[in-house]
Amino acid sequence: MNSNKLRITAVLVAGLLAGCASKIDEQQHQSQLQEFVAQTQIASQLVGQDELNWWQQLDSSQLNNLVANARANNHDLRTSQLKLKSALARLGGQKAQYLPQGGVGIEATRSSLGELNTRQSAANANFDWQLDLFGKVTALVNASNAGAMSQAEQVRALHIEVVASVVKGFVSYQGNKQKQHIIELQIEALKQSIGVLRAQVEEGIANELDLNRTLAQLKRQQALLPDIKYAQFRDLATLAMLSGQLPSDITLIDERSVLERGFTVSLAKPSDAIALRPDISQALFEFSQAYSLSVAASKALLPDISLSAFAGVLSLDNNRLSDTQQQWQVAPQIKWSLLSYPALLAQRDAQQYLSEAAYSQYQHVVLNAMSESELSLQLLVKQSQQQDYAKQRFDFANSAFLQAQAMYQEGQIPYLELLDARQDVLIAQENAIDSTISSLLAKVDTYQVFNGRWSYVLVN
């Protein structure tokens, strides 16, 4: 990881030096990062079909509707979108500083002093145009633009979070439905066994030990139902919150078959899926904003040059602007805050430190994205292997139970051994469904981590 960090630092510093004349070249940084990530060949084994709209692999119209509703009604997403509109409005206000500022005034007065009545009218226009000779206004515009772009990346990040959370909640709900179904089947089977055992105990064929151990297994399975039902409600509450509703407003149909549908992880361009992540882009724009503010702070040490102008007409003894006197004035101005130099120098240094901090944060986000990507791939492999083993375990346990059933009926083994075989198959079955759910969620996590490409298409 240390060598990777040095290589990443070299790439980022090269981009910084190339753009340090006036502003950060965000596109150059992104291109260099894409090239670097491509060289690392992370997730090369997943190259295949395009990952756009990846959740539609589950072939569930119910899930697709949930995703669409959440994206349309999520309050966090709407809040972030409104903040983006505010940032764009501020950017427009900042760009207006390139234009002359001022106003127009018209007035008319009538006064009386004794028998003397006087009337007067006037119209004037004032303009003040700050000439951006040293680039201070441009630096502030660049900072405002970077701030708006950073907020746009925050909106994209929330889209990713909403989509992934909806898919996870839906998979978890259907998984808990399947677990409830399995438990209910096991409870029914145990109840049937208990009925047979009670009759055998009364007839003296079986003993109380067999009956009590079977009752203990029954209570163990029944005790699992409250947890499963609570987990289902929790999933509903999560999905409702994501779509701006109450749990009572959302109803899901039983679609447990989604757990067995084909769902694979495939990426068209893994390097872009990492390099175009919104957290990386957001950190880059925050660095760009801090850098532009640092440039603006440096430009504040230079003089401000502006052009002021005034034009007006004055009419005496009437209110109709007739028989007027004209006046105008043009006044170039140079203001240089020489006495404020110590404060301006301190502000410049403070902003430069913030710029360096933003750059360091950008490096951290890039490294974290690389680490998350590799970790998600390891988790994907781990869960896939565990799912295979869990299925094999269930198959063997089920075969053993069927064999024990046949042997018990033939009187070759006591009932307690049959009960142990049933316990083994129950545990193996629960483990198999848990592994299936965990494997699906690991695949969703992988798409959530490798989000650079599909999130751009989703938002745009």
Side-chain angles (χ1 to χ4, degrees), residues 14 24 37 78 110 112 144 152 217 280 319 353 360 403 436:
I24 298 300
V37 176
R78 177 168 174 77
R110 182 173 182 176
S112 173
S144 184
Q217 278 198 9
I280 294 179
N319 295 122
Y353 287 130
S360 178
Q403 292 170 353
T436 299

Side-chain angles (χ1 to χ4, degrees), residues 24 128 187 189 410 432:
I24 298 300
D128 186 13
I187 288 175
E410 295 176 0

Side-chain angles (χ1 to χ4, degrees), residues 40 69 101 135 232 268 308 317 329 367 372 376 386 392:
T40 62
N69 289 336
Q101 308 295 310
Q232 291 176 27
S308 298
D317 297 331
Q329 178 181 349
L367 289 171
E372 275 189 359
S376 69
Q386 286 187 338
Q392 293 174 20

Side-chain angles (χ1 to χ4, degrees), residues 6 16 30 35 63 72 95 100 117 140 147 170 198 208 225 231 275 282 298 339-340 342 379 393 425 429-430 446 458:
L6 291 175
L16 173 63
Q30 288 180 336
E35 293 176 2
L63 173 59
K95 287 182 176 179
N117 296 321
L140 292 174
F170 180 76
R198 287 189 190 278
E208 291 286 344
L225 284 178
Q282 185 177 10
S298 298
L339 297 180
S340 301
L379 178 63
R393 176 186 175 184
V425 78
Q429 195 171 24
E430 292 170 10
T446 303
L458 187 70

Side-chain angles (χ1 to χ4, degrees), residues 125-139:
N126 297 285
F127 299 95
D128 186 13
W129 187 12
Q130 184 174 356
L131 304 178
D132 191 32
L133 298 181
F134 300 110
K136 180 180 178 181
V137 174
T138 298

Side-chain angles (χ1 to χ4, degrees), residues 298-330:
S298 298
K299 301 298 183 182
L301 298 172
L302 302 175
D304 290 331
I305 300 177
S306 62
L307 185 66
S308 298
F310 169 83
V313 294
L314 177 66
S315 176
L316 301 175
D317 297 331
N318 72 81
N319 295 122
R320 299 180 182 179
L321 293 179
S322 60
D323 190 18
T324 60
Q325 297 180 2
Q326 300 179 0
Q327 56 179 343
W328 60 272
Q329 178 181 349
V330 177

Side-chain angles (χ1 to χ4, degrees), residues 270-289:
S271 59
D272 288 354
I274 298 175
L276 299 179
R277 282 173 42 141
D279 55 344
I280 294 179
S281 299
Q282 185 177 10
L284 176 58
F285 285 121
E286 287 175 354
F287 168 45
S288 179
Q289 181 182 31

Side-chain angles (χ1 to χ4, degrees), residues 1-15 32-33 36 39-40 359 363-364 366-367 370:
M1 182 59 72
N2 290 334
S3 61
N4 285 339
K5 182 175 181 180
L6 291 175
R7 293 168 62 191
I8 292 175
T9 301
V11 170
L12 300 182
V13 168
Q32 291 174 340
L33 183 58
F36 171 76
Q39 293 174 1
T40 62
Y359 178 62
Q363 289 180 299
H364 170 74
V366 171
L367 289 171
M370 303 284 285

